[in-house]
Amino acid sequence: MTRCTYYTATTLDGFIADEHDSLAWLFEQETQEGGPAGYEEFIAGIGAMVMGATTYTWIGDHLRANDEKWAYDIPCWVFTHHDPAPLGDAITTVSGEVRGHHAAIVESAGDRDLWVVGGGDLAGQFADAGLLDQIIVSVAPVTLGAGRPLFPRRHDLRLVDLDRNGDFAVATYDVVGRRSD
Amino acid sequence: MTRCTYYTATTLDGFIADEHDSLAWLFEQETQEGGPAGYEEFIAGIGAMVMGATTYTWIGDHLRANDEKWAYDIPCWVFTHHDPAPLGDAITTVSGEVRGHHAAIVESAGDRDLWVVGGGDLAGQFADAGLLDQIIVSVAPVTLGAGRPLFPRRHDLRLVDLDRNGDFAVATYDVVGRRSD
């Protein structure tokens, strides 16, 4: 069965980017190569990725600023109300409810898993639809006080795994469901 | 030297209480008696505690609702602009900058440490004044999406210790200082 994971970094106070969408607080942290919940190990199991318009735009800006190319060869689904220029091959733009596109996204992942890249609201939409299985967060030793929220929803989780990777606390949670209170 | 620690529980998305100051999300979690960063071990090293008006009011309401008494015999300093009824002995209300009261608070702790109970803004005031040494957070497996912020400041921390205690991820951070970006 295809597993759907929201794999992201966050500040200790729950922001995935600052108010200006900067990730400076993230890139200055150190990780341990081959360490727990590392990116290389994670991405090896991923067959398709999903992101929102802001995340996609951020990646495009970042690639242009650094004269880099789209790094992924797996299908990427972008939830957007606009029609952004494709940054690479196998990018599909969609809009509307996540449930309506889920079968196609799962199909595109083959026998591997789905990665919800972000932002927090898109991950929340997957969770609300009962389609998010796990959250894996790398918690940076930083507080920002404001910014883009990690997961703007009331949900119960279950701590499955906890480890340190360099400067990060890395936690894996199963998504239990929406809170009733 | 007296160490000053902000010891608190938080949701994964950085809230220490929900929008209605409820801690229902917290009390339903399980902890392991005698486990890492447990309350009994922590409080044994504390000589005085400091809290803001909202936290103090919350405790008062909670005590009245449950017909309980003030549980602390160490000095408690309450930063407030009001003049709340004392909930127990050795409670002192103060107002204004934390720096102006710091010497007296440290003095009252004897040879033990200080506990900043909360809220997040008071802990931030201690940090801004260079008077907060550590943050120990018990992260509950819950997201709330909104509520009272853990630490509404831009600060760098250093992860010192990481452990699991029951349902919680427990992390100890040294406070490094304000971020410049």
Side-chain angles (χ1 to χ4, degrees):
Chain A
M1 224 188 70
T2 306
R3 174 182 289 184
C4 182
T5 301
Y6 177 34
Y7 175 93
T8 190
T10 179
T11 66
L12 177 62
D13 58 341
F15 299 106
I16 57 172
D18 82 2
E19 292 160 298
H20 311 290
D21 289 319
S22 168
L23 298 181
W25 57 272
L26 175 61
F27 293 139
E28 70 198 31
Q29 310 300 334
E30 295 195 359
T31 54
Q32 170 196 347
E33 209 170 322
Y39 175 77
E40 298 300 333
E41 187 188 347
F42 174 76
I43 196 74
I46 296 301
M49 52 203 282
V50 186
M51 63 183 69
T54 304
T55 303
Y56 186 73
T57 301
W58 185 92
I59 294 176
D61 292 347
H62 184 79
L63 293 178
R64 273 183 293 277
N66 294 281
D67 201 19
E68 291 175 1
K69 296 219 179 307
W70 182 252
Y72 308 100
D73 56 3
I74 56 176
C76 176
W77 300 77
V78 183
F79 279 81
T80 175
H81 295 293
H82 309 287
D83 191 19
L87 295 170
D89 296 334
I91 293 172
T92 307
T93 59
V94 289
S95 61
E97 300 280 318
V98 298
R99 189 176 284 286
H101 302 284
H102 188 249
I105 296 171
V106 166
E107 168 88 21
S108 78
D111 56 0
R112 286 185 289 172
D113 292 328
L114 294 184
W115 174 21
V116 178
V117 181
D121 192 73
L122 183 64
Q125 289 177 48
F126 272 80
D128 285 351
L131 299 173
L132 188 69
D133 300 299
Q134 279 199 327
I135 299 176
I136 303 178
V137 280
S138 293
V139 182
V142 171
T143 61
L144 290 176
R148 311 300 172 198
L150 169 65
F151 194 73
R153 292 293 190 285
R154 293 177 78 92
H155 263 269
D156 286 319
L157 312 172
R158 186 184 301 113
L159 181 59
V160 174
D161 217 355
L162 180 67
D163 249 312
R164 182 178 186 147
N165 185 326
D167 293 333
F168 296 88
V170 185
T172 299
Y173 292 94
D174 281 345
V175 177
V176 174
R178 275 198 252 192
R179 288 184 62 80
S180 51
D181 66 351
Chain B
M1 226 188 70
T2 306
R3 176 181 288 183
C4 182
T5 301
Y6 177 34
Y7 175 93
T8 191
T10 178
T11 66
L12 177 62
D13 57 340
F15 299 107
I16 56 172
D18 82 0
E19 291 160 298
H20 311 290
D21 288 319
S22 168
L23 298 181
W25 57 272
L26 175 61
F27 294 139
E28 70 197 33
Q29 310 300 334
E30 296 196 358
T31 54
Q32 169 196 345
E33 210 170 321
Y39 174 77
E40 297 301 332
E41 187 188 347
F42 174 76
I43 196 74
I46 296 301
M49 52 203 281
V50 185
M51 63 183 69
T54 305
T55 303
Y56 186 74
T57 301
W58 185 93
I59 294 175
D61 292 346
H62 184 79
L63 293 177
R64 273 183 293 276
N66 294 282
D67 201 20
E68 291 175 1
K69 296 219 180 306
W70 182 253
Y72 308 100
D73 56 4
I74 56 176
C76 176
W77 299 77
V78 183
F79 279 81
T80 174
H81 296 290
H82 310 286
D83 191 20
L87 295 170
D89 297 333
I91 293 171
T92 307
T93 59
V94 288
S95 61
E97 299 281 319
V98 297
R99 191 175 282 286
H101 302 285
H102 187 250
I105 296 171
V106 166
E107 169 89 22
S108 78
D111 56 359
R112 286 184 289 171
D113 291 329
L114 295 184
W115 173 23
V116 179
V117 181
D121 192 73
L122 183 64
Q125 290 178 47
F126 272 80
D128 285 350
L131 299 172
L132 188 69
D133 300 299
Q134 279 198 326
I135 299 176
I136 303 178
V137 278
S138 293
V139 182
V142 172
T143 62
L144 291 176
R148 310 301 173 197
L150 169 64
F151 194 74
R153 291 293 190 284
R154 293 177 78 91
H155 264 269
D156 286 318
L157 311 171
R158 186 184 301 113
L159 181 59
V160 174
D161 218 353
L162 180 68
D163 249 312
R164 183 178 184 144
N165 185 324
D167 293 333
F168 296 89
V170 185
T172 300
Y173 292 94
D174 282 343
V175 177
V176 175
R178 276 198 250 192
R179 289 184 60 81
S180 50
D181 67 351

